[in-house]
Amino acid sequence: KNEVEQSPQNLTAQEGEFITINCSYSVGISALHWLQQHPGGGIVSLFMLSSGKKKHGRLIATINIQEKHSSLHITASHPRDSAVYICAVREGAQKLVFGQGTRLTINP
Amino acid sequence: NAGVMQNPRHLVRRRGQEARLRCSPMKGHSHVYWYRQLPEEGLKFMVYLQKENIIDESGMPKERFSAEFPKEGPSILRIQQVVRGDSAAYFCASSPPRSSYNSPLHFGNGTRLTVT
């Protein structure tokens, strides 16, 4: 079993829909990151969380430390949100462990 | 303030050749991390370096792979005698000195290595 599990692996939705991507982890962590990767492109850090909730534009990230679970939400989704979203947990000082990613496709 | 710069973006090598991947961290950053993304797989940690020091290389293959971060110049990930299985995207990230557990991550655009 992977230390970081994301669901779903693939998600297709229509423009405007509310999107939720989930991340569960099995290890103790100091922080959790949500990353975005466009096809053939680089990786952008969206959020870093150690507790509670953060919001940036149409993106919202939450984390429940007791349940070892985090969610990434996208409101009013748009085709340009199509990308792979990756959850990564920081174990200890520096090492990151990554989920397999969720491939999101938003159709117009 | 330029972000993390990786070059080349694409690198093609024949089996047995050497591959050198370069990463220049963000200005003021002295910590560098290398990650590998194999086709259809997730990212995996390879190595964590500070200037002139390897701090954690627990993710590096035991043979053919090495990394350095000299006092001057970029960090280099070196793969000797490449094989087809080395074909992957290699990403570098950097963080500032005195990094805390909650330092944000800044990634480069990656180097896509293809071994023919």
Side-chain angles (χ1 to χ4, degrees):
Chain A
K1 191 179 187 299
N2 292 331
E3 290 178 314
V4 182
E5 294 275 355
Q6 286 186 235
S7 63
Q9 282 191 297
N10 294 283
L11 177 57
T12 300
Q14 289 300 119
E15 183 174 355
E17 286 189 39
F18 181 82
I19 302 299
T20 295
I21 299 170
N22 295 300
C23 175
S24 296
Y25 52 92
S26 57
V27 296
I29 68 168
S30 57
L32 182 143
H33 299 259
W34 281 103
L35 311 170
Q36 180 192 55
Q37 184 177 25
H38 283 281
I43 296 170
V44 174
S45 179
L46 298 174
F47 293 104
M48 182 181 64
L49 296 161
S50 52
S51 65
K53 177 179 172 178
K54 286 190 175 179
K55 185 175 189 291
H56 181 71
R58 295 180 293 105
L59 301 177
I60 303 165
T62 63
I63 187 168
N64 185 317
I65 297 292
Q66 286 73 32
E67 294 186 6
K68 295 187 174 178
H69 180 269
S70 175
S71 293
L72 176 69
H73 306 285
I74 306 175
T75 61
S77 59
H78 190 276
R80 65 173 174 265
D81 297 325
S82 298
V84 175
Y85 292 83
I86 303 167
C87 170
V89 300
R90 193 193 292 266
E91 294 181 21
Q94 300 296 344
K95 190 172 179 178
L96 282 181
V97 179
F98 297 85
Q100 290 290 91
T102 294
R103 187 175 302 275
L104 174 66
T105 303
I106 304 295
N107 293 319
Chain B
N1 185 16
V4 179
M5 303 298 292
Q6 287 189 251
N7 66 83
R9 284 295 302 273
H10 300 275
L11 181 61
V12 180
R13 285 286 177 265
R14 281 200 282 271
R15 276 182 299 169
Q17 290 185 318
E18 178 179 286
R20 280 183 172 242
L21 289 62
R22 285 177 289 279
C23 169
S24 296
M26 280 184 71
K27 189 176 179 182
H29 286 192
S30 58
H31 298 198
V32 164
Y33 315 82
W34 285 94
Y35 303 95
R36 178 165 67 171
Q37 187 175 41
L38 291 166
E40 304 304 319
E41 292 190 21
L43 285 151
K44 295 280 194 301
F45 168 81
M46 297 183 78
V47 63
Y48 162 42
L49 309 107
Q50 295 178 16
K51 286 278 187 183
E52 299 185 278
N53 280 308
I54 297 174
I55 307 301
D56 181 349
E57 56 181 347
S58 58
M60 288 277 271
K62 293 285 181 279
E63 296 175 350
R64 302 187 297 107
F65 284 72
S66 62
E68 62 175 7
F69 188 16
K71 189 176 178 182
E72 303 290 338
S75 175
I76 306 284
L77 179 68
R78 183 178 175 213
I79 311 172
Q80 294 178 289
Q81 299 171 351
V82 296
V83 300
R84 289 221 171 98
D86 297 332
S87 296
Y90 292 83
F91 288 93
C92 168
S94 72
S95 65
R98 294 182 295 281
S99 291
S100 72
Y101 287 73
N102 294 323
S103 294
L105 293 170
H106 301 270
F107 282 87
N109 284 329
T111 292
R112 279 142 186 90
L113 172 66
T114 302
V115 179
T116 61

